[in-house]
């Protein structure tokens, strides 16, 4: 398999004696997101910067496509490696368009072509092109971060280095940026090295996660799923947190859960049909199998059809083919009936599932 | 003051308009040239002070010591080298005075560049010189212009002192008005100096707004 970035026994000792990286060996695969995660001061930023030569290792080598980064001139190397940082670091004296056009201009593109590329990228990262003539101080933190990403992508570098790019924005904007980042990556397939101190972000974004410990030691490199299932040592299990069991459920597809349909009734069904199920709750669906709401057996009148009743809101549903068991668990906990409603991609009810099915599936994985 | 003589003789001003305009022009020339020279010296000096931190304290101290020398004394000091009536006798000392404002402002201006901005520039592949010219100096402009405004106004006020060595632009109105006991001349001299200072400052503010539309300060109304 072709690997793009290789750390080969990399050690970095700063002049004051601080060991920031301690014999780190690691491969960041082509087209994947490798997340560096760990405690503050663990050497993540240092490791990232050895890739574009902003930091040079004391010993060991960093290779891109098998060739040492020390073989290229720093400025030339860097123009082929996108870089995004936490505070965006936009040039305050340049408009948004000119900020994004920075690397293309350094590469000698003419102004018109560079600007056209900027506008293209603004759309790509979800920015209104009308913002192009504004200056950075006129943008919100989240918008500035988008510009930072667009600027790093401008010359279409195969590698992107991202140092806590979403850490300084509020949680709602962060979730939005993370989602769009994943969507972008699914189109662009860059080789991305992403630094964060937030294990949730690492699990959400990483194809593979490298855990750094204070002192610059690389403790474990694994897929998010394996990291949660088999943490290498106490440090990693402590870092991934007590609720790693629940986090793991994010990787179990909801499709693995058995679904029941005995409590799913059309709205035309009679009260007697509902009682005949012998279940405490039944779910009424319309002609296209969309969920209408829950009816409780205890509260059923003596006669009539489900359609005439006041039903309890069906609440959150899950998509059988797309969601994870973690989403189902959440839906089960919040559902008045203790049952989560599984729907297909069109929103039609496929079946329901509850505590017992969840418990069986979790035990089996 | 002789009886019946008004404080200001407007007719004198009217009949001397050309003369006054000439003096004002010369005054402006004598005060602006030192600011231009001062900038030419301060920018590289300021850059050196930010590149090599140890350079800054001795440079700043020297500039301040120069500034503490009374202007007349400094003019007299230069006469043997530049001559009594030479413009240089005025321009060199006034240039030296501007350094105590301009050098610190160039240094502060360059320090406006935040760590993330300079890291981003490095990471994107700017070379040293290009980063200086395209990132650091442009970002320093507002603070540098703030220094230029102070240096300009102080230079405009100091030029008059040069009249004591025979070359002072509008300063001639003060010495002449005093000798002839003719208050109109003194008052006109003061008024024109103030007008020049205000006008120069207004021009500089405008220049700053045009040059740095990205700066937050000074455009609250925008
Ligand atoms: N330029 C530097 N000089 C000296 N020590 C440094 C320098 N940069 C980082 N360090 C130290 O190296 C260690 C790792 O830092 P860093 O790579 O920034 O960690 P992280 O990004 O994981 O928080 C820390 O102890 C930090 O203080
Ligand atoms: Mg860091």
């Amino acid at each position: 398999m072709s690997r793009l970035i290789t750390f080969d026994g990399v050690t970095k000792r700063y002049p004051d004696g601080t060991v920031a990286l301690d014999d780190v060996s690691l491969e960041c695969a082509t087209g994947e997101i490798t997340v560096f995660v760990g405690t503050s001061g663990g050497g993540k930023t240092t490791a990232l910067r050895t890739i574009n030569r902003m930091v040079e290792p004391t010993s060991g080598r960093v290779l891109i496509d098998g060739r040492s980064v020390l073989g290229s001139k720093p400025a030339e190397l860097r123009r082929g490696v996108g870089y995004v940082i936490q505070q965006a670091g936009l040039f305050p004296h340049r408009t948004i368009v000119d900020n994004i056009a920075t690397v293309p201009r350094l590469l000698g593109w003419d102004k018109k072509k560079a600007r056209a590329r900027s506008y293209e990228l603004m759309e790509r990262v979800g920015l209104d092109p009308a913002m192009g003539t504004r200056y950075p101080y006129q943008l919100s933190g989240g918008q500035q971060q988008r510009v930072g990403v667009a600027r790093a992508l401008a010359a279409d570098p195969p590698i992107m280095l991202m140092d806590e790019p979403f850490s300084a924005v509020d949680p709602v904007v962060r979730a939005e940026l993370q989602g769009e980042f994943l969507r972008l990556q699914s189109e662009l397939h860059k080789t991305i090295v992403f630094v964060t101190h937030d294990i949730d972000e690492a699990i959400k974004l990483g194809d593979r996660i490298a855990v750094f410990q204070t002192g610059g030691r690389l403790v474990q490199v694994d897929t998010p799923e394996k990291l949660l299932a088999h943490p290498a040592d106490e440090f990693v299990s402590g870092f991934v947190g007590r609720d790693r069991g629940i986090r793991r459920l994010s990787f179990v597809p909801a499709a693995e859960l058995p679904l029941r349909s005995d409590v799913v009734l059309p709205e035309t069904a009679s009260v007697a049909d509902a009682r005949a199920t012998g279940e405490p709750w039944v779910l009424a669906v319309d002609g296209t199998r969309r969920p209408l709401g829950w009816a409780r057996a205890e509260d059923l009148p003596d006669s009539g059809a489900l359609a005439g009743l006041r039903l309890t809101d069906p609440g959150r549903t899950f998509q059988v083919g797309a969601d994870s068991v973690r989403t189902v668990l959440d839906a089960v906990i919040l559902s008045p009936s203790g049952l989560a409603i599984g729907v297909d991609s069109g929103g039609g009810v496929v079946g329901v599932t509850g505590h017992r099915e969840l418990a069986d599936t979790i035990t089996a994985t | 003051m002789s009886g019946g003589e008004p404080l200001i003789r407007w007719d004198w001003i009217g009949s001397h308009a050309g003369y006054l305009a000439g003096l004002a022009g010369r005054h402006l020339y004598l005060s602006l040239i030192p600011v231009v020279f001062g900038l030419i010296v301060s920018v590289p000096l300021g850059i050196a002070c930010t590149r090599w931190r140890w350079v800054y304290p001795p440079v700043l101290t020297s500039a301040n010591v120069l500034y503490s020398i009374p202007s007349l004394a400094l003019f007299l000091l230069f006469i043997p080298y530049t001559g009594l009536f030479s413009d240089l006798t005025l321009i060199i000392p006034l240039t030296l005075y501007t350094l105590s404002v301009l050098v610190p402002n160039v240094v502060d201006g360059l320090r406006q560049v935040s760590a993330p901005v300079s890291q981003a520039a490095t990471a994107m592949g700017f070379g040293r010189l290009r980063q200086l010219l395209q990132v650091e100096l442009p970002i320093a402009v507002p603070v540098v212009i703030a220094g230029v405004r102070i240096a300009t106004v102080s230079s405009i006020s100091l030029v008059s002192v040069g009249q004591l060595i025979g070359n002072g632009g509008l300063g001639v109105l003060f010495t002449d008005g005093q000798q002839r006991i003719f208050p109109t001349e003194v008052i006109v001299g003061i008024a024109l100096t103030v007008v020049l200072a205000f006008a120069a400052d207004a021009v500089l503010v405008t220049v700053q707004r045009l040059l740095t539309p990205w700066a937050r300060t000074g455009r609250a109304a925008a």
Side-chain angles (χ1 to χ4, degrees):
Chain A
M1 203 202 299
S2 111
R3 300 273 181 170
L4 207 64
I5 305 170
T6 314
F7 288 77
D8 178 15
V10 176
T11 294
K12 175 66 189 180
R13 190 188 311 268
Y14 283 109
D16 64 359
T18 311
V19 176
L21 293 175
D22 183 6
D23 193 22
V24 169
S25 292
L26 160 77
E27 286 183 324
C28 307
T30 307
E32 283 195 353
I33 302 174
T34 305
V35 177
F36 291 178
V37 74
T39 42
S40 173
K44 307 179 295 290
T45 297
T46 302
L48 193 75
R49 288 182 177 172
T50 57
I51 299 169
N52 68 356
R53 289 192 66 178
M54 286 173 77
V55 169
E56 300 208 348
T58 313
S59 64
R61 297 182 308 160
V62 178
L63 312 160
I64 295 179
D65 280 336
R67 255 169 284 151
S68 168
V69 294
L70 299 181
S72 345
K73 285 195 188 138
E76 276 165 32
L77 171 74
R78 290 169 191 157
R79 287 170 201 172
V81 178
Y83 192 77
V84 186
I85 50 178
Q86 186 179 340
Q87 304 88 339
L90 301 182
F91 299 132
H93 62 300
R94 290 191 174 172
T95 60
I96 300 311
V97 163
D98 288 340
N99 259 284
I100 298 173
T102 304
V103 179
R105 294 286 288 152
L106 286 173
L107 289 170
W109 296 21
D110 70 57
K111 208 163 193 162
K112 220 173 130 192
K113 186 177 163 203
R115 289 211 165 155
R117 173 74 178 152
S118 293
Y119 279 112
E120 188 190 318
L121 277 162
M122 286 185 74
E123 264 173 51
R124 260 234 137 105
V125 301
L127 284 169
D128 180 357
M131 282 183 185
T133 52
R134 294 203 196 156
Y135 288 97
Y137 81 92
Q138 296 167 305
L139 267 56
S140 71
Q143 290 167 337
Q144 292 193 20
Q145 243 1 295
R146 285 170 204 261
V147 177
V149 172
R151 182 173 66 171
L153 285 170
D156 204 19
I159 297 175
M160 294 272 282
L161 309 179
M162 308 180 78
D163 197 346
E164 311 220 7
F166 309 141
S167 297
V169 293
D170 66 70
V172 176
V173 176
R174 185 182 316 145
E176 210 176 285
L177 291 173
Q178 288 168 340
E180 286 178 28
F181 168 70
L182 286 176
R183 177 183 55 74
L184 258 179
Q185 168 65 355
S186 70
E187 295 165 11
L188 301 175
H189 306 292
K190 303 283 181 195
T191 301
I192 296 174
V193 184
F194 190 108
V195 168
T196 179
H197 61 263
D198 173 1
I199 186 69
D200 285 313
E201 184 167 66
I203 288 166
K204 182 168 177 185
L205 302 182
D207 293 309
R208 293 208 315 154
I209 298 176
V211 185
F212 285 77
Q213 191 172 1
T214 315
R217 225 164 50 79
L218 180 59
V219 207
Q220 184 170 6
V221 188
D222 252 320
T223 61
E225 200 178 347
K226 283 202 192 131
L227 195 76
L228 291 171
H230 310 290
D233 64 10
E234 299 251 308
F235 174 78
V236 180
S237 62
F239 193 75
V240 295
R242 284 185 198 284
D243 48 354
R244 72 183 166 92
I246 288 179
R247 289 211 181 95
R248 259 181 74 194
L249 297 180
S250 307
F251 299 98
V252 182
E256 288 191 10
L257 288 164
L259 295 174
R260 303 163 46 184
S261 46
D262 55 329
V263 297
V264 182
L265 298 175
E267 58 183 322
T268 51
S270 68
V271 168
D273 294 335
R275 241 187 231 109
T277 62
E279 293 289 330
W281 292 86
V282 295
L283 177 70
V285 297
D286 68 12
T288 60
R289 292 197 66 79
R290 264 165 227 289
L292 293 171
W294 294 101
R296 184 148 86 167
E298 275 179 23
D299 303 338
L300 291 174
D302 292 335
S303 62
L306 293 179
L309 303 178
R310 273 191 57 200
L311 300 167
T312 307
D313 187 80
R316 184 173 173 189
T317 61
F318 68 92
Q319 260 200 42
V320 176
D323 281 321
S324 71
V325 170
R326 190 172 175 175
T327 311
V328 180
L329 175 62
D330 198 53
V332 165
I333 291 169
L334 294 176
S335 169
S337 62
L339 296 167
I341 305 166
V343 297
D344 56 28
S345 56
V349 174
V350 185
V352 300
T353 191
H355 299 108
R356 191 166 310 121
E357 291 80 5
L358 266 175
D360 290 347
T361 305
I362 292 169
T363 317
T365 51
Chain B
M1 211 180 288
S2 51
E5 175 89 5
L7 191 61
I8 298 182
R9 293 234 336 253
W10 297 99
D11 60 321
W12 182 87
I13 298 173
S15 62
H16 289 75
Y19 168 67
L20 292 173
L23 284 181
R26 190 159 163 69
H27 193 103
L28 208 53
Y29 167 79
L30 288 172
S31 35
L32 292 189
I33 291 296
V35 178
V36 173
F37 285 179
L39 256 184
I40 292 172
V41 175
S42 300
V43 170
L45 213 51
I47 292 167
C49 291
T50 41
R51 280 277 177 281
W52 304 284
R53 287 177 160 270
W54 58 269
V55 176
Y56 191 35
V59 166
L60 189 62
T61 307
S62 313
N64 286 337
V65 166
L66 279 172
Y67 192 70
S68 72
I69 303 172
S71 49
L72 184 57
L74 205 55
F75 295 150
L76 294 173
L77 214 60
F78 273 89
I79 291 176
Y81 305 100
T82 50
L84 184 54
F85 293 101
S86 158
D87 288 350
L88 283 181
T89 311
L90 212 56
I91 287 171
I92 294 175
L94 289 180
T95 300
L96 294 175
Y97 279 145
T98 64
L99 300 186
S100 74
V101 178
L102 293 180
V103 173
N105 275 59
V106 171
V107 171
D108 286 352
L110 291 170
R111 286 186 183 159
Q112 301 297 305
V113 182
S114 66
V117 166
S118 78
Q119 276 167 21
T122 305
M124 276 184 290
F126 278 84
R128 264 269 172 106
L129 183 65
R130 217 200 279 244
Q131 188 162 336
L132 178 68
L133 296 178
Q134 296 185 1
V135 179
E136 288 162 10
L137 284 175
I139 290 175
V141 165
V143 179
V144 172
I145 292 190
V148 169
R149 287 172 60 188
I150 297 168
T152 303
V153 170
S154 101
S155 191
I156 287 174
S157 91
L158 279 173
V159 163
S160 301
V161 180
Q163 190 53 39
L164 297 173
I165 57 159
N167 192 359
L170 292 165
V172 70
L173 299 174
F174 303 138
T175 46
D176 197 54
Q178 190 201 16
Q179 275 160 18
R180 293 168 50 198
I181 315 179
F182 182 41
T184 299
E185 235 183 316
V186 177
I187 290 167
V188 168
I190 292 171
L192 282 179
T193 310
V194 170
V195 167
L196 280 187
F198 268 107
D201 200 50
V203 168
L204 285 170
V205 170
T206 311
V207 166
Q208 199 230 299
R209 292 205 180 156
L210 293 177
L211 228 49
T212 62
W214 51 271
R216 263 169 257 226
T217 44
R219 61 199 310 272

